[in-house]
């Protein structure tokens, strides 16, 4: 590995409360110095970061790479390239592949293939139940040994609450964290948009906020009974956030995240059946969006994620109600975080914390998400002043489905380093 000097950059490291211009020294895949060179350090390559920001590589809590099983939508290679272009160096992978990530061999194969590509670090989230069917528990201990960092049902709810309680009991016994997306299956069944005026006007079947709060209340009650460590994924409503805050006030250990789509968009953005806005959970009201933005800014929502879900063109060109839900987001995580932070009146450091140090805590990563000496040299160098218009041609993801097509967004990644190797230059 080359010794690399990243010179004259504005180093922003939220974990260590650092925001100043200084040099960063990289060797043997690690950060070996900040400000002044270690003894005997001779750079084999220098990256001039004048006018640029040097930050920890971003950590995405929800990135579907579509392998195994959905290679026609995207491939591991295409989505890893997208991650590098977006400065995302660590990815938590939901278990809703085909087959689901419910066997150690599948997890090991995914980790092996990702490591062979030598790009972003992959952190699989294992299936909580076999086949995500909500009937029998997966072998969580074996999945953990194979490389899983947590356990989830993705967006497939467990209907049988007895099974869910047993899963939480098992997870609590061994200290595993369970990631759950709050979806009440019967309240959301057949729905495609937020149950409000927009859905009524467009003639779309609605999904009420109660579909989130009923499920969330159940999850929190069962977690309270079992003592499970719970993370709520992709929160979408003000009422849902209020329930989490109430649980925390009662002493519960519960964290939550929100997607970049839900802090920028609401149900009004569906317009005239824009299928790129067909998401799970649905885009909710403007009031919900503003509540989520405030909660994220104040740290009541712990992290921001892309909820990257590449869909092939055929899946999005169908009528709204028949289209495939999801949006691509890996390459938009940085610009949409910058745009949200600016609107919220936050410092650059506070904004980046939601996709670096705060996200790292949820995944349980200690060697990334910060630029301390000795940390893994996962680094993103970006230009905060550059603006990029989002087009199908400049998205490296195989999925071109995003509500932000045609929009000009701030922030352009110039270099992405993974374990001290330059994996992207733009």
């Amino acid at each position: 590995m080359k010794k690399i000097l990243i010179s004259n950059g504005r180093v922003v490291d939220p974990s260590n409360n650092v925001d100043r211009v200084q040099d960063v020294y990289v060797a043997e895949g690690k950060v070996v110095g900040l400000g002044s060179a270690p003894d005997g350090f001779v750079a084999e390559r220098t990256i001039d970061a004048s006018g640029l920001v040097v930050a920890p590589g971003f950590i995405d809590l929800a990135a579907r790479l579509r392998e195994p099983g959905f290679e026609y939508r995207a491939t591991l290679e295409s989505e890893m390239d997208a991650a590098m272009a977006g400065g995302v160096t660590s990815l938590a992978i939901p278990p809703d592949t085909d087959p689901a990530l419910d066997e150690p061999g599948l997890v090991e194969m995914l980790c092996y293939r990702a490591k062979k590509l030598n790009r972003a670090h992959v952190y699989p989230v294992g299936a909580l139940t076999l086949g995500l069917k909500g009937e029998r528990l997966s072998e969580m201990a074996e999945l953990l040994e194979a490389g899983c960092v947590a356990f989830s049902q993705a967006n497939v709810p467990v209907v049988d609450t007895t099974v869910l309680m047993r899963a939480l009991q098992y997870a609590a016994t061994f200290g595993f964290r369970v990631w759950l997306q709050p979806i009440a299956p019967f309240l959301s069944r057949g729905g495609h948009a937020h149950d409000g005026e927009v859905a009524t006007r467009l003639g779309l079947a609605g999904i009420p906020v109660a579909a989130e709060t009923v499920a969330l209340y159940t999850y929190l009650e069962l977690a309270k009974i079992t003592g499970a460590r719970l993370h709520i994924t992709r929160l979408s409503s003000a009422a849902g956030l209020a329930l989490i805050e109430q649980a925390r006030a009662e002493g519960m250990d519960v964290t939550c995240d929100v997607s970049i789509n839900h802090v920028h968009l609401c149900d009004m953005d569906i317009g005239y059946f824009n299928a790129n806005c067909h998401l799970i959970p649905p885009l909710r009201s403007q009031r919900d969006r503003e509540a989520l933005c405030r909660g994220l800014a104040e740290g009541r929502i712990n992290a921001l994620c892309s909820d990257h879900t590449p869909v092939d063109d055929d899946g999005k060109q169908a009528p709204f109600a028949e289209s495939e839900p999801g949006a691509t987001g890996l390459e938009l995580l940085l610009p949409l975080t910058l745009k949200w932070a600016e609107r919220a009146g936050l410092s650059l450091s506070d904004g980046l914390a939601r996709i670096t140090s705060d996200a790292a805590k949820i995944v349980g990563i200690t060697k990334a998400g910060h630029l301390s000496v000795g940390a893994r040299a996962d680094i993103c160098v970006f230009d905060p002043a550059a603006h990029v218009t989002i087009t199908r041609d400049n998205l490296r993801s195989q999925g071109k489905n995003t509500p932000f097509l045609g929009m000009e967004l701030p922030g352009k990644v110039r270099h992405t380093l993974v374990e001290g190797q330059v994996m992207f230059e733009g």
Side-chain angles (χ1 to χ4, degrees), residues 28 62 108 118 129 147 198 200-201 205 214 228 235 263 279 320 367 385:
E28 300 299 322
E108 290 168 354
N118 193 30
T129 63
V198 174
T200 300
R201 174 171 56 83
V214 167
L235 202 64
V263 295
L279 306 172
F320 188 95
K367 53 190 175 182

Side-chain angles (χ1 to χ4, degrees), residues 383-405:
D383 185 348
H387 284 69
V388 178
T389 300
I390 307 304
T391 67
R392 289 176 60 90
D393 291 339
N394 63 23
L395 286 174
R396 292 178 178 245
S397 171
Q398 191 170 313
K400 310 301 181 183
N401 50 301
T402 171
F404 301 97
L405 284 174

